[in-house]
Amino acid sequence: MNITVRVWRQKNADDKGKMVTYGVENVSEDMSFLEMLDVLNEQLTLADEEPIAFDHDCREGICGACGVVINGIAHGPQVTTTCQLHMRSFEDGAVIDVEPWRSGAFPVIKDLVVDRGSLDRIIQAGGYISAPTGSAPEANNLPVPKVDADHAFESAACIGCGACVAACPNGSGMLFTAAKITHLGLLPQGQPERDSRVIGMVEQHDHEGFGSCTNIGECTAACPKGIPLDTIARLNRDLLGALAHGDA
Amino acid sequence: MAVSGLIMLGYLLVHMYGNLKFFQGQDKFDGYLHETLPHMFYPYLPEGGALWIIRVLLLVALVVHVYCAANLWRRNKAAAGYVGGKRYHTTQNKTGVQRSYASFTMRWGGVILLLFIIGHVAQMMPNWLSPGGASDSKYDRVVNGFDLWWVVLLYSIGMIAVGFHLAHGFWSALTTLGQNHSTTRRGSRWTAISIGLATLITVGFLSVPFAVLFFGAGS
Ligand code: SF4
Ligand code: FES
């Protein structure tokens, strides 16, 4: 198939940036979206042009590095990561727009690469448990109800890609934060720090300049890991609880 | 935002109950407004006391609601990361994947509602602004006003705006308060309840003006 790609090109953080149009020929529909970008970059290199910078690592949908906005949708038309998106999801002759995640908390470094350090700092503000390390404890010592274990596991699937922020019209990182709150809040190991965790993480979230959630739900629709929206209600419930307990 | 919104929603339900008394005729309607309401909780509260408490509470709720909204609007605009006046430069999928019309008209819909409330309160002041003719009977003023098509039109715009605002707002308030455990924005039980509530309010409030204008009720 032959396609046209319009890509956001921006030399560095200070550059204004603009959309640039490229034609890519003989694209196999079995290629992943990133492989298509690789082909385009080879083409650019041969023509002595600067290749397009984009983030990627595992290319198997588990690291969360590869996020870009394709045709206005985070990670493109399928509910998966960009590296797991295949060219068969597009028509022959399609015009495909590729842009970086947009958020005040995700400054663009170059082309499609943004700095997502703000998500790491939210985790540092409470997304952990303080427990002695060592060999794994006996699993049956600490019973966890199956329903809680399932919900916690579902939320633990967040890969920190940031698609929720890119999709949210408010640029809010609530779904990401809520996934972590839900994951640890449902398990016994997460209880001692439950109050300070939610307060710390929400404070850091706001401090990084993410927007406030207005419960629109674009985040869940875009999330490649299907983090459910009820995590946000859980976060709010924990936050109200923590404020009522007075643990700041 | 959520708490002040729910307070106003509670008031709307009571207000709608009062409006529907219109269908019981002039005596009952005027009696309710001129006698029952001012004597609410009498003699525990002075005459008209309960009404003043409600007025102050509503005003506070409204001010808090508008203040929070303005704050959200400003912060979220900065957080969305606009470049050159736009967030994403593509022309495809402008309205996202699943967000509802109600959810992305919260802000401008809210502004329309604010204008409506100001106009509505001015109109309800004793014979202050009386389209269609003043009278000491509130019932007569309702009939006089709603006999005019443009009054009904403005009123309908306000009521449709309130319907959309509530369809998203009620759902959202419950989530903010940590009570709504729906896993998706669409197709959940709470979505149906919110839309039902919004429809009830819009239809309930519109029944009086439509009855007056189209079926000649009260004249
Ligand atoms: S919640 Fe989903 S969209 Fe957001 S960072 Fe985690 S995996 Fe990505
Ligand atoms: S490159 Fe790791 S998730 Fe796509």
Side-chain angles (χ1 to χ4, degrees):
Chain A
M1 56 199 279
N2 299 329
I3 53 168
T4 307
V5 217
R6 297 172 61 222
V7 187
W8 181 261
R9 299 303 309 259
Q10 179 173 343
K11 284 198 186 66
N12 52 46
D14 302 321
D15 186 26
K16 265 183 65 194
K18 59 174 188 301
M19 298 295 276
V20 180
T21 308
Y22 304 100
V24 195
E25 287 171 8
N26 297 322
V27 175
S28 151
E29 56 177 28
D30 296 328
M31 278 181 184
S32 76
F33 198 83
L34 297 187
E35 282 167 334
M36 183 277 290
L37 287 180
D38 290 337
V39 170
L40 172 55
N41 272 347
E42 272 171 28
Q43 200 176 301
L44 290 175
T45 313
L46 287 177
D48 257 349
E49 284 180 53
E50 181 84 7
I52 300 160
F54 62 91
D55 226 344
H56 63 106
D57 187 16
C58 69
R59 295 209 178 194
E60 52 185 21
I62 54 174
C63 74
C66 58
V68 289
V69 170
I70 303 166
N71 291 342
I73 300 177
H75 289 302
Q78 311 284 346
V79 184
T80 183
T81 54
T82 306
C83 58
Q84 295 294 298
L85 176 70
H86 291 89
M87 294 313 292
R88 53 179 165 270
S89 299
F90 301 91
E91 310 257 298
D92 190 18
V95 179
I96 305 172
D97 297 331
V98 194
E99 297 173 74
W101 284 170
R102 290 278 181 226
S103 166
F106 290 162
V108 175
I109 299 173
K110 184 177 183 182
D111 298 338
L112 301 172
V113 182
V114 299
D115 178 359
R116 282 171 300 170
S118 44
L119 293 184
D120 297 335
R121 290 187 291 274
I122 294 180
I123 294 292
Q124 282 164 10
Y128 51 78
I129 57 161
S130 302
T133 50
S135 55
E138 159 60 34
N140 291 330
N141 276 351
L142 204 55
V144 180
K146 170 92 168 96
V147 192
D148 290 354
D150 285 351
H151 272 134
F153 192 78
E154 201 178 38
S155 308
C158 168
I159 52 177
C161 64
C164 43
V165 180
C168 174
N170 302 319
S172 173
M174 244 336 111
L175 192 69
F176 166 81
T177 312
K180 200 41 79 189
I181 298 287
T182 304
H183 162 204
L184 298 176
L186 282 172
L187 296 175
Q189 294 90 336
Q191 297 315 311
E193 285 146 314
R194 190 161 170 182
D195 284 353
S196 59
R197 172 180 309 118
V198 67
I199 294 196
M201 290 181 82
V202 169
E203 262 177 10
Q204 189 65 30
H205 170 277
D206 292 354
H207 175 74
E208 293 291 345
F210 287 105
S212 307
C213 179
T214 60
N215 305 315
I216 286 178
E218 279 295 296
C219 50
T220 22
C223 174
K225 297 296 155 184
I227 302 296
L229 197 53
D230 67 336
T231 55
I232 292 184
R234 281 181 201 280
L235 176 143
N236 284 321
R237 185 182 272 231
D238 272 23
L239 184 62
L240 292 174
L243 292 173
H245 301 159
D247 292 317
Chain B
M1 191 103 226
V3 174
S4 55
L6 289 178
I7 290 175
M8 292 191 279
L9 170 62
Y11 173 75
L12 275 186
L13 286 170
V14 179
H15 184 333
M16 186 179 82
Y17 164 80
N19 280 18
L20 292 177
K21 285 202 172 284
F22 179 87
F23 293 110
Q24 293 183 329
Q26 182 155 15
D27 292 345
K28 285 266 169 55
F29 187 71
D30 280 345
Y32 176 72
L33 286 174
H34 296 290
E35 288 300 322
T36 316
L37 286 186
H39 291 103
M40 236 191 309
F41 299 113
Y42 186 80
Y44 301 105
L45 291 172
E47 188 174 329
L51 282 182
W52 275 108
I53 293 175
I54 294 175
R55 283 178 192 136
V56 170
L57 187 70
L58 279 178
L59 189 66
V60 171
L62 184 67
V63 170
V64 169
H65 205 69
V66 171
Y67 173 78
C68 291
N71 209 10
L72 271 180
W73 198 333
R74 181 183 53 77
R75 285 189 38 172
N76 290 351
K77 189 144 196 249
Y82 285 86
V83 273
K86 280 191 220 158
R87 191 173 186 210
Y88 294 115
H89 288 244
T90 180
T91 49
Q92 310 184 49
N93 300 301
K94 277 279 170 228
T95 54
V97 183
Q98 58 80 50
R99 63 181 149 140
S100 60
Y101 184 74
S103 73
F104 73 93
T105 50
M106 286 307 270
R107 287 163 192 169
W108 287 110
V111 171
I112 293 180
L113 278 175
L114 187 64
L115 295 176
F116 177 85
I117 291 170
I118 294 173
H120 184 60
V121 170
Q123 189 196 351
M124 285 305 123
M125 296 286 179
N127 287 328
W128 215 46
L129 206 139
S130 307
S135 162
D136 283 339
S137 158
K138 295 231 161 114
Y139 185 90
D140 284 342
R141 291 183 60 202
V142 169
V143 175
N144 293 347
F146 286 145
D147 251 342
L148 301 171
W149 65 267
W150 58 269
V151 175
V152 175
L153 181 69
L154 287 180
Y155 195 84
S156 306
I157 292 174
M159 289 309 105
I160 289 169
V162 92
F164 277 119
H165 206 74
L166 285 176
H168 180 73
F170 181 62
W171 195 98
S172 179
L174 289 180
T175 308
T176 301
L177 296 177
Q179 301 303 321
N180 175 358
H181 289 270
S182 309
T183 51
T184 56
R185 178 61 187 89
R186 291 292 182 88
S188 67
R189 185 162 49 104
W190 283 108
T191 309
I193 294 174
S194 305
I195 292 177
L197 189 70
T199 315
L200 175 79
I201 295 228
T202 303
V203 171
F205 275 102
L206 283 181
S207 62
V208 174
F210 280 27
V212 172
L213 185 67
F214 298 120
F215 301 105
S219 52

